[in-house]
Amino acid sequence: MNVVSTVDPRDGERRATDLVETDEPGLEATAARAAAATPWLSGLGRIGRAEMLDAIAASVESRRVDLVATAQAETGLAHARLDQELTRAALQFRMFAEVLRDGGYVEAAIDHAADTPLGRGPDLRRMLVPLGPVAVFGASNFPFAFSVAGGDTAAALAAGCPTVLKAHPSHPLTSHASAEAIGSAIRERGGPEGVTAIVYGEQAGRALVRHSAIRAAALTGSLGAARAIQAAIDERPDPIPLYAELSSVNPIVVLPGAAADRGDQIAEGLFASFTASGGQLCTKPGLAFIASDPGGDHLVEGLRERVGASGGAVLLNERIRDAYESGAAAFERAGARVSARPQVEPGAGFTVAPTLLEVGLPGLTAEIADECFGPLMVVVRYRDVADLDAVLATVPPSLTGSVHSGPGDDADVVRRLVDGLAARVGRIVFDGYPTGVRVSWAQHHGGPWPSTNTVHTSVGATSIRRFLRPLAWQDAPAWILPEELRDGYTAISRRVDGRWEPAVGERRG
C-alpha cells in the first residue's frame, strides 16, 4: 500500500503519515457500507437528521484547537483565517439543521383525486427525496468549509445521502481529523459506519465515482480535476451528476465617480480582496476596470503602494505555486506590465510575491483575461465607460461581478453594466468585494461555465437541491406516505390542490 504524505508549504518538507491510499477492496467495502447506511439516514427523518447535524457541528467545534493546528501545518494559512473558517464549517451544519426543521426544501405538493376537464384525476403527492450516496471531493484552499467538513458534506447529509469523502492530498491529516470529528458524532447517535467514510489517493477518487453505489459527486477545484472526474463518470453505464465549482476571474468595475469619491477606500478594499489568504479564493477579483483619469490614477497609485509594501504569500502546494508563477509570466508576455511587485526572499517553502499588473483596455486579450490562482490582479485602464460593454462581454463568465459607482455616475450606465454582468455571473456585488461569501438562505455561489458546470449553488440553503430528486406517489395508501405528504400534516408549508398552505405546526428539536 502507498503511504500518504503531507507537506508543510511554509518549508516545503514532505513527511510521511500513518495513512495509506485506499485500495480496490477498501473502496469496494466503503461504497457497500455507504449504500447500506442509506435507509438508516433517510429513516431518521428531517428532525432526526437536524439533531445529527447539530451534533456534528458541536463535535467539530470541540476539536477546534487540534483541527486548526493540523490545518495550519498543511496549508500555511493564518491561524485567524483557519479559526474563522472552522466556525463557518460548524455554521453550515447548523444552517442545514434549520433547513431541515423548516422543511420547505422538500417542495411538498398534493393534488387530491378530483374530476378534471380531462376526466377523473388520480390522487398525486410529490416531494423531493434523497439521491443516495454522494462522493465529496475536498478543496485545497478551504480545508474546512469546502472540504471534508464543508458545505457539500452538510448539504448531502441533510438531504439524507451518505457521503464518501475524498481527502485532498494537500491536507490529508486535516481531512482525516475532520472525518473523525463527523464520524464520532454520528456513532454517538447510533449511526452505522457507512453514513460517512473517507478515502485517500487519486486512483481511489476516480474509482469512487465509477462505483455503482455513488449517485452524485461534488467538487470544488480546478478545471483539470473536474475533467478527470467527469471522464471517470463517463465510464459508467449509468451517468450521475457532477456538481463542480471551478474557475473564476470575478471582474470589478470602478466607475469614475466612485474612484473620485472614495479612491483610497476602494484601493484598500481591492488590495485586501485579491491578496487575502494568498489570493487563493474562488471569489478573488482577478480583473479591476479603473478609469484613466485623475481619480483612477490616485486609486491605482494607492494599490501600487499597498502591493509594494506587502510581504510574501505562502501558497498551498507546489503545483499552485508553479501555476501562479507561470500564469503571471504568461500575462506579462501577453502585454500586461508589472505595476507593483515586492521583493520577496526565496525560501524553502511555496512563498510568492503578490503582483499587480496593468494593461490598457485595447490590450486586454483572452490570455490576460484568465484566472491566475493566487495574489495577482490585473488593472485594466479604460477611457470611456461606453467601451466597457463590449469588453465585459468577452470576459470569461464568473461566480461574481462587482460595480462601484459614486456621485456623478449615470444610473443608466450602472443599469447597463449590471444587465451585462447578470448574463455572465451568479452574484452581483454593489460597492463591495466578492470575497467573504455569506452562508445564508439567499446566497447563490455559482455561475455559467467555467465558474461552475451547473445552475446550482454550492453555498447556502438551496445547495441541498443537488442531492435530491422528485418522487410522486399516485393513489398511495396513507400509511405508506412520508408524513410530509399525509392529509392534516401542518408542520411544513405545502401546496395542496394548487393552493399554498403555510406551516402552522411547531418545529421540533
Side-chain angles (χ1 to χ4, degrees):
M1 292 185 178
N2 294 324
V3 173
V4 175
S5 60
T6 183
V7 178
D8 188 331
R10 296 169 295 188
D11 59 22
E13 290 294 321
R14 183 173 296 275
R15 300 170 178 87
T17 73
D18 294 331
L19 307 171
V20 294
E21 293 187 358
T22 306
D23 58 15
E24 186 174 347
L27 178 70
E28 187 66 36
T30 296
R33 285 193 293 268
T38 301
W40 180 87
L41 186 58
S42 179
L44 278 181
R46 292 182 299 104
I47 304 306
R49 290 200 301 278
E51 293 169 350
M52 182 189 74
L53 293 180
D54 282 338
I56 291 173
S59 180
V60 169
E61 289 184 321
S62 73
R63 304 174 189 220
R64 179 184 296 272
V65 174
D66 289 341
L67 282 169
V68 169
T70 303
Q72 192 169 18
E74 291 193 305
T75 67
L77 295 170
H79 182 281
R81 146 69 201 270
L82 290 168
D83 190 64
Q84 182 182 51
E85 188 188 331
L86 188 141
T87 297
R88 171 177 168 173
L91 172 64
Q92 289 173 154
F93 283 101
R94 291 195 173 102
M95 183 196 72
F96 280 108
E98 288 305 303
V99 170
L100 289 170
R101 292 184 175 102
D102 174 85
Y105 78 95
V106 302
E107 299 179 8
I110 298 173
D111 290 320
H112 291 101
D115 292 326
T116 77
L118 299 178
R120 185 68 177 174
D123 183 280
L124 283 172
R125 301 172 188 234
R126 174 191 181 276
M127 64 181 279
L128 301 181
V129 299
L131 272 180
V134 171
V136 172
F137 290 75
S140 63
N141 57 336
F142 280 89
F144 298 127
F146 278 91
S147 195
V148 167
D152 289 339
T153 302
L157 290 174
C161 300
T163 59
V164 182
L165 307 156
K166 165 60 174 64
H168 197 282
S170 287
H171 52 261
L173 293 175
T174 307
S175 298
H176 176 78
S178 298
E180 177 54 30
I182 295 169
S184 66
I186 295 171
R187 289 191 297 271
E188 288 176 3
R189 303 192 69 78
E193 291 294 324
V195 176
T196 59
I198 188 166
V199 299
Y200 304 89
E202 182 178 337
Q203 292 304 315
R206 295 186 184 187
L208 178 62
V209 296
R210 288 194 292 260
H211 199 283
S212 60
I214 300 302
R215 307 315 305 162
L219 163 75
T220 297
S222 66
L223 285 167
R227 290 190 173 108
I229 294 170
Q230 187 62 59
I233 289 173
D234 290 342
E235 296 177 21
R236 297 172 56 116
D238 57 330
I240 61 170
L242 169 64
Y243 299 111
E245 189 253 277
L246 303 167
S247 172
S248 193
V249 296
N250 307 302
I252 288 184
V253 176
V254 181
L255 292 174
D261 182 57
R262 54 183 192 280
D264 290 333
Q265 178 185 337
I266 294 173
E268 182 64 29
L270 275 176
F271 171 75
S273 193
F274 93 85
T275 61
S277 298
Q280 299 167 113
L281 302 173
C282 49
T283 51
K284 180 209 75 173
L287 294 172
F289 294 85
I290 300 174
S292 292
D293 63 11
D297 292 343
H298 179 75
L299 193 163
V300 173
E301 183 57 33
L303 278 170
R304 291 192 191 109
E305 292 174 358
R306 288 168 172 81
V307 173
S310 65
V314 178
L315 300 191
L316 293 162
N317 56 48
E318 186 175 16
R319 180 188 60 80
I320 290 174
R321 189 272 313 275
D322 292 347
Y324 173 79
E325 292 180 342
S326 63
F331 286 4
E332 292 177 52
R333 288 195 300 272
R337 62 187 180 277
V338 177
S339 184
R341 178 185 286 151
Q343 291 294 322
V344 174
E345 291 294 327
F350 310 132
T351 300
V352 300
T355 300
L356 185 71
L357 300 179
E358 193 171 339
V359 67
L361 192 66
L364 181 63
T365 63
E367 292 81 6
I368 298 173
D370 198 4
E371 182 184 45
C372 182
F373 196 66
L376 180 147
M377 187 174 71
V378 180
V379 171
V380 184
R381 307 300 302 273
Y382 65 89
R383 295 190 178 279
D384 191 333
V385 172
D387 295 334
L388 292 176
D389 296 337
V391 172
L392 287 173
T394 67
V395 171
S398 295
L399 295 167
T400 73
S402 305
V403 178
H404 286 256
S405 61
D409 291 323
D410 193 311
D412 290 338
V413 169
V414 175
R415 168 62 67 184
R416 193 171 69 247
L417 289 171
V418 168
D419 288 346
L421 288 172
R424 305 183 66 76
V425 305
R427 175 165 57 102
I428 300 175
V429 180
F430 294 86
D431 299 328
Y433 310 93
T435 45
V437 179
R438 180 180 178 183
V439 177
S440 68
W441 289 77
Q443 183 60 268
H444 181 77
H445 188 67
W449 176 268
S451 59
T452 53
N453 69 337
T454 71
V455 299
H456 293 277
T457 178
S458 61
V459 180
T462 55
S463 67
I464 195 173
R465 289 180 179 171
R466 297 172 297 168
F467 309 122
L468 298 163
R469 66 180 182 88
L471 180 62
W473 288 255
Q474 182 169 323
D475 291 328
W479 63 267
I480 206 168
L481 289 169
E483 63 177 356
E484 291 90 348
L485 293 181
R486 295 176 185 172
D487 288 338
Y489 186 77
T490 60
I492 67 171
S493 299
R494 307 188 299 181
R495 187 169 294 279
V496 179
D497 296 329
R499 295 183 297 275
W500 186 249
E501 294 188 354
V504 296
E506 293 184 2
R507 294 188 297 171
R508 292 170 286 150

